[in-house]
Amino acid sequence: FNLHSNTIFNSLKKIRSVVENKSLEDYTSITIADSLLFFILIVLIYKKDAQKSTYISFLGLAVFFCLLGNFFEVNSTSIDSALVGMKIRYLGVPFIPTIWYLCVREFCGDKLENKVVLFSLWIIPFSLALLAYTWQDNHLLFSSVTYHNDGHFGELRLIPGPLFRLRLIYQLGI
């Protein structure tokens, strides 16, 4: 993984031009390249030391789903396709803080062995993912959703529901 300063500089210039010009083709190519590189990095980390890198691999997978969901949402042309992107994103978003917490504990040499505590850490992320998938039926995580497309990028605006604060408290508190 030798990155030269010119390559980084050119990549940053390309990202800047995407933001300034709102070029969907450039954004798409950057997002696909970023997701693929991140996935390759996950595989390489896991192959290096499978025992120590399980949590890091899961963290990478969660971030991959988050990036992939954002990609589908931004490239959406209707509210239905944007909702698919949101659901893909929620395969990763609720799990990132929990996996990060477990990564840090393992890195510091204090691996969590208690099965009851481990199980209790996963209740809220799985519940949030389930609520994100069923929000149209229960309106607990999101009370409503609006979709905006300015011709270049699609944007799904999520109006918080009653349990949205639970997500914030959990993700910022862990």
Side-chain angles (χ1 to χ4, degrees):
F1 287 63
N2 290 333
L3 296 176
H4 297 73
S5 59
N6 282 341
T7 306
I8 294 172
F9 182 70
N10 289 336
S11 297
L12 290 175
K13 281 175 45 178
K14 187 164 182 115
I15 291 171
R16 181 177 175 201
S17 72
V18 168
V19 172
E20 288 174 352
N21 300 329
K22 291 187 175 180
S23 170
L24 186 59
E25 293 82 22
D26 289 339
Y27 177 78
T28 302
S29 63
I30 288 172
T31 305
I32 289 173
D34 184 37
S35 297
L36 287 175
L37 287 174
F38 201 74
F39 188 73
I40 290 169
L41 183 64
I42 293 167
V43 171
L44 291 176
I45 287 173
Y46 190 76
K47 280 186 172 182
K48 182 181 176 205
D49 186 6
Q51 182 68 20
K52 293 279 187 182
S53 61
T54 303
Y55 289 131
I56 292 175
S57 297
F58 284 136
L59 180 64
L61 194 60
V63 171
F64 174 74
F65 281 123
C66 186
L67 286 171
L68 189 64
N70 284 337
F71 171 73
F72 281 122
E73 180 183 330
V74 169
N75 288 320
S76 65
T77 56
S78 68
I79 190 166
D80 293 329
S81 57
L83 284 172
V84 169
M86 185 268 303
K87 289 178 180 181
I88 292 172
R89 188 172 67 230
Y90 266 82
L91 287 174
V93 168
F95 301 99
I96 291 174
T98 305
I99 298 170
W100 180 250
Y101 173 73
L102 294 171
C103 265
V104 169
R105 283 194 62 134
E106 185 179 63
F107 180 77
C108 293
D110 188 24
K111 187 174 180 178
L112 195 56
E113 300 286 340
N114 189 341
K115 302 286 185 200
V116 174
V117 174
L118 272 172
F119 178 76
S120 64
L121 281 174
W122 292 108
I123 290 174
I124 292 179
F126 278 108
S127 300
L128 290 172
L130 181 67
L131 288 173
Y133 270 80
T134 61
W135 78 271
Q136 293 166 326
D137 297 328
N138 57 37
H139 297 283
L140 293 174
L141 193 58
F142 310 116
S143 61
S144 67
V145 171
T146 59
Y147 176 74
H148 300 277
N149 191 337
D150 64 357
H152 297 289
F153 298 110
E155 178 186 4
L156 196 62
R157 293 186 184 163
L158 307 168
I159 313 306
L163 292 181
F164 191 78
R165 284 191 175 89
L166 171 70
R167 180 190 145 224
L168 293 177
I169 291 168
Y170 183 76
Q171 288 185 330
L172 297 175
I174 198 164

